[in-house]
Amino acid sequence: MTSPFSGTATGRAGDRAARKPQLAVVGATGAVGSVLLGILSERADIWGEIRLVSSARSAGRKLTVRGEEVEVLALAEEVFGGIDVAVFDVPDEVAAQWAPIAAAKGAVVVDNSAAFRLDPDVPLVVPEVNAHAARVRPRGIVANPNCTTLSMIVALGALHAEYGLSELIVSSYQAVSGAGRDGVDTLRSQLAAVSGTELGTTPGDVRRAMGDTLGPFPAPVALNVVPWAGSLQEDGWSSEELKVRNESRKILGLPGLRVSATCVRVPVITTHSLTVHARFENEVTVAGAHEILASAPGVVVCDDPAQGEFPTPADVVGTDPTWVGRVRRALDDPRALELFVCGDNLRKGAALNAAQIAEVVAAELTA
Amino acid sequence: MTSPFSGTATGRAGDRAARKPQLAVVGATGAVGSVLLGILSERADIWGEIRLVSSARSAGRKLTVRGEEVEVLALAEEVFGGIDVAVFDVPDEVAAQWAPIAAAKGAVVVDNSAAFRLDPDVPLVVPEVNAHAARVRPRGIVANPNCTTLSMIVALGALHAEYGLSELIVSSYQAVSGAGRDGVDTLRSQLAAVSGTELGTTPGDVRRAMGDTLGPFPAPVALNVVPWAGSLQEDGWSSEELKVRNESRKILGLPGLRVSATCVRVPVITTHSLTVHARFENEVTVAGAHEILASAPGVVVCDDPAQGEFPTPADVVGTDPTWVGRVRRALDDPRALELFVCGDNLRKGAALNAAQIAEVVAAELTA
């Protein structure tokens, strides 16, 4: 039998089960993995077996997906037997080692790490923008973009298709869950330490109160904003800022796009926000932008300041779309739009987009 | 006697006291007024009497300035008798009514409201940038800029003098004390409500927990960011965003400067932060920018990310300078710099700049 769906590692053999693609979730116990299991349970169920995989440390735990308890397997070559699509949410170095192994076993890997995003033989895919790119995958790997890029790119892809994007100047307001569970725990404990105090009014008082509880951040994040995310790269740029530039260019197919990003962490649990100054080849109007965005899949326009309507992380968290508000045309440049954009960094920013890519690949495999 | 310093309303008559200018602080009991009294107590004491004035409601209270208790007087025409410089920190409509009255009584008014900032007969002054402008004041009024503009303009003035500024694209991370004491109280009570909870993870959970405790903000500010400050103006712009544009142009003497600002409130008590994309007429270098900023009065460069050095509000609050970090040259534009800037919105952003203007005026009057 040559169909990729004919063999199942668990021996399920009914006609229907045999036709359904098999999915592996690698990193199932992490922050993004947990959200992914919830998303897989909510969306149309196209999958045969969903196999859960983690590091040896977490293996043996039971997690619920599609209403059923599933035991988590330890990462090993054998777990990819019979798997058609494997979604990876693991650290870069683990992905770099294991994604090629899974691909060699015949799985199409959807990888959420940074390990392959800029590899010219790996497509970087946002289904609403460049689903077609997922079909060409010389290494058997499709990369899922960085969460900050994902928080804006669906809206920008729609505007680009109409107006032709030429420059992006972006500032982020990034949630702590972008730094994983440790980021969330750190903010919660710091908030407990500042609650009921008068901290935040004299130099360094918050930093002294935090002591050694900075967690994954280089400065206190409660009652503060921290202009740093990721690691230091050349010329003072952070890795997060360069990801926004490089990944936006690749997803939009605009290798010469001018991009400047400044990434800043804020005391929000989940949902990244960004201010975007987007310059286009053609003149823009607010009414035109509203129309484009309102009809774009995966985008919600929330833009009526007179009624207090604009997206905020507290309202957007837990939802799937990219929310866009504060749409204005630059007063000094008829080709530039100002936007405020929010997206749940664990859903569209990570797990949801990975699930969507997996579905695109599955549809192709079963077509 | 024709010298403006010869008469004193309280009858102090010593030679030295007679030569010292007399200061009135109108709005002495407010958030900015309180900080101003502290600043006046710290700086070189150039003043004769310092008279404290407030609304009738707060009159009669005693406040400490320069180590002495002073009784607060109710705002009335008579309180400006013998006053040389009157610093106003009151709502726009109160300033609009009373600043001309104080000026008619012979006081030079330094006004922190928005009432006169764009009046062509009122200079808008940041002493490090355009002290000379304070000398020409046809209405007897000098305006103090908006706190968001003040948080960045000293650094930008220095860079403009060398490179020639042509465009600013700015995003703010504004502290709640920019909305006064009510803003601070609102954030403190909201933080108490979210501390120890799991809020911030499902749509609207923070908003529901806040109930009617939004205070001066249109959305919850704890565990959130709010892309709105001020009132709605034409074409979707907020008043705060237009202030940044109009005031930057006036202070720098660049009426055609291209400016786009998006103003966002963050859960920080005091100190505004901004990301700035500044484009110049000439090519820039990071080393050159560092040198210009390091030698600029009122600016501190804090920019060594390898050592975790960049400004954050928690470290900058309570200090006088404009702190600048994350200096990068745009990767796609050799004429553009990216900056992250922090300034205490109650000190340089309001009270300190007003005190500095008052000192510039006093030096001229006594010259």
Side-chain angles (χ1 to χ4, degrees):
Chain A
M1 293 193 293
T2 55
S3 159
F5 309 109
S6 55
T8 67
T10 54
R12 288 166 68 176
D15 274 348
R16 186 173 164 74
R19 284 197 305 275
K20 281 191 164 187
Q22 314 267 72
L23 178 71
V25 175
V26 184
T29 58
V32 173
S34 304
V35 174
L36 179 57
L37 299 192
I39 286 170
L40 290 170
S41 306
E42 294 162 10
R43 292 177 72 85
D45 185 11
I46 64 161
W47 303 105
E49 183 189 354
I50 295 181
R51 202 172 298 169
L52 306 186
V53 182
S54 75
S55 63
R57 190 163 47 90
S58 299
R61 287 175 56 186
K62 289 189 173 169
L63 297 175
T64 301
V65 60
R66 298 184 295 188
E68 289 176 19
E69 280 208 334
V70 178
E71 185 171 327
V72 180
L73 307 177
L75 180 57
E77 192 174 339
E78 302 76 58
V79 302
F80 298 106
I83 291 295
D84 301 295
V85 181
V87 175
F88 275 61
D89 189 73
V90 296
D92 293 356
E93 62 279 12
V94 179
Q97 180 186 351
W98 285 93
I101 293 171
K105 295 284 283 184
V108 175
V109 173
V110 179
D111 180 40
N112 194 35
S113 84
F116 301 100
R117 287 182 191 143
L118 300 184
D119 185 325
D121 288 331
V122 173
L124 184 65
V125 175
V126 181
E128 295 89 341
V129 180
N130 65 342
H132 59 87
R135 291 184 166 267
V136 183
R137 39 180 195 263
R139 299 191 60 179
I141 302 171
V142 180
N144 196 45
N146 158 274
C147 54
T148 309
T149 307
L150 273 169
S151 299
M152 66 176 185
I153 203 73
V154 176
L156 292 176
L159 293 168
H160 167 59
E162 181 73 20
Y163 293 132
L165 192 64
S166 64
E167 184 169 20
L168 282 178
I169 296 162
V170 173
S171 297
S172 75
Y173 301 67
Q174 297 190 219
V176 295
S177 63
R181 289 187 195 280
D182 189 21
V184 175
D185 293 343
T186 297
L187 176 56
R188 297 259 190 228
S189 71
Q190 290 185 353
L191 285 176
V194 302
S195 177
T197 71
E198 292 293 309
L199 291 168
T201 54
T202 60
D205 62 357
V206 169
R207 191 181 282 269
R208 285 189 297 277
M210 297 299 104
D212 296 329
T213 65
L214 297 183
F217 308 115
V221 68
L223 292 181
N224 208 16
V225 301
V226 182
W228 193 260
S231 57
L232 179 61
Q233 306 295 311
E234 271 184 63
D235 299 324
W237 294 88
S238 73
S239 56
E240 190 84 354
E241 290 156 355
L242 297 183
K243 285 175 184 175
V244 171
R245 180 167 183 262
N246 295 328
E247 296 181 21
S248 295
R249 287 173 154 197
K250 184 167 177 175
I251 296 161
L252 296 171
L254 294 171
L257 184 67
R258 295 151 63 110
V259 183
S260 285
T262 300
C263 290
V264 180
R265 194 76 66 179
V266 296
V268 165
I269 301 293
T270 294
T271 292
H272 288 353
S273 306
L274 296 100
T275 59
V276 180
H277 175 91
R279 184 170 288 150
F280 298 90
E281 302 292 347
N282 299 298
E283 285 201 13
V284 297
T285 64
V286 170
H290 275 160
E291 196 176 330
I292 293 163
L293 293 168
S295 63
V299 176
V300 171
V301 176
C302 176
D303 191 15
D304 187 356
Q307 303 302 318
E309 285 184 14
F310 33 72
T312 79
D315 296 317
V316 165
V317 61
T319 70
D320 287 348
T322 300
W323 295 66
V324 184
R326 300 302 322 283
V327 181
R328 290 148 292 154
R329 188 167 86 162
L331 290 164
D332 305 305
D333 185 350
R335 298 184 181 190
L337 285 171
E338 318 292 335
L339 314 169
F340 185 80
V341 179
C342 291
D344 185 315
N345 53 298
L346 300 181
R347 295 181 72 88
K348 184 60 182 176
L352 173 62
N353 199 68
Q356 290 175 297
I357 295 173
E359 290 167 2
V360 167
V361 171
E364 174 200 336
L365 294 178
T366 54
Chain B
M1 291 195 293
T2 56
S3 159
F5 309 111
S6 55
T8 66
T10 53
R12 288 166 69 176
D15 274 346
R16 187 173 163 74
R19 283 197 307 273
K20 284 189 163 186
Q22 314 267 73
L23 178 72
V25 176
V26 183
T29 59
V32 173
S34 303
V35 174
L36 179 57
L37 299 192
I39 286 171
L40 291 169
S41 304
E42 295 162 10
R43 293 177 72 85
D45 184 11
I46 64 161
W47 304 103
E49 184 190 353
I50 296 181
R51 204 172 296 168
L52 306 186
V53 182
S54 75
S55 63
R57 189 163 47 91
S58 299
R61 287 176 54 185
K62 290 189 174 169
L63 298 175
T64 301
V65 59
R66 299 184 296 187
E68 289 175 19
E69 280 208 332
V70 178
E71 185 171 326
V72 180
L73 307 176
L75 180 57
E77 192 174 340
E78 302 75 59
V79 301
F80 298 107
I83 290 295
D84 302 294
V85 181
V87 175
F88 275 62
D89 189 73
V90 295
D92 294 357
E93 62 279 12
V94 179
Q97 181 186 350
W98 285 92
I101 294 171
K105 295 284 285 184
V108 175
V109 173
V110 179
D111 179 41
N112 193 36
S113 85
F116 301 100
R117 288 183 190 141
L118 300 184
D119 185 326
D121 288 331
V122 173
L124 184 64
V125 175
V126 182
E128 294 89 340
V129 180
N130 66 340
H132 58 88
R135 292 185 165 267
V136 183
R137 40 179 194 261
R139 300 191 60 180
I141 302 170
V142 181
N144 196 45
N146 160 273
C147 54
T148 309
T149 307
L150 273 169
S151 298
M152 66 176 185
I153 203 73
V154 176
L156 292 176
L159 292 168
H160 167 59
E162 181 72 20
Y163 293 133
L165 192 64
S166 64
E167 185 169 20
L168 282 178
I169 296 162
V170 173
S171 297
S172 74
Y173 301 69
Q174 297 189 220
V176 295
S177 63
R181 290 185 194 278
D182 188 22
V184 174
D185 293 344
T186 297
L187 175 57
R188 298 259 190 226
S189 72
Q190 290 185 352
L191 285 177
V194 301
S195 177
T197 71
E198 293 292 310
L199 291 168
T201 54
T202 60
D205 62 357
V206 169
R207 191 181 280 269
R208 285 189 296 276
M210 297 298 104
D212 297 328
T213 65
L214 297 183
F217 308 115
V221 68
L223 293 181
N224 208 16
V225 301
V226 183
W228 192 260
S231 58
L232 180 61
Q233 306 295 310
E234 271 186 61
D235 299 324
W237 294 88
S238 74
S239 56
E240 190 84 354
E241 290 157 354
L242 296 183
K243 285 175 183 175
V244 170
R245 179 166 183 262
N246 294 329
E247 297 182 20
S248 296
R249 288 173 154 196
K250 183 167 178 176
I251 296 161
L252 296 170
L254 294 171
L257 183 67
R258 294 152 63 111
V259 183
S260 285
T262 300
C263 290
V264 179
R265 193 77 65 179
V266 297
V268 165
I269 301 291
T270 295
T271 293
H272 288 353
S273 306
L274 296 100
T275 60
V276 179
H277 175 91
R279 185 169 289 150
F280 299 90
E281 301 293 348
N282 300 297
E283 285 201 11
V284 298
T285 65
V286 170
H290 275 158
E291 195 176 331
I292 292 162
L293 293 167
S295 63
V299 176
V300 171
V301 176
C302 175
D303 191 15
D304 187 356
Q307 303 303 317
E309 285 184 13
F310 34 72
T312 80
D315 296 316
V316 165
V317 61
T319 70
D320 287 348
T322 299
W323 294 67
V324 185
R326 302 298 328 279
V327 181
R328 291 147 291 153
R329 187 167 86 164
L331 290 164
D332 304 305
D333 184 350
R335 299 183 181 190
L337 285 171
E338 317 293 334
L339 312 170
F340 185 80
V341 179
C342 292
D344 185 315
N345 53 299
L346 299 181
R347 294 180 72 88
K348 184 59 182 176
L352 173 63
N353 199 68
Q356 290 174 298
I357 295 172
E359 290 167 2
V360 166
V361 171
E364 173 200 335
L365 295 178
T366 55

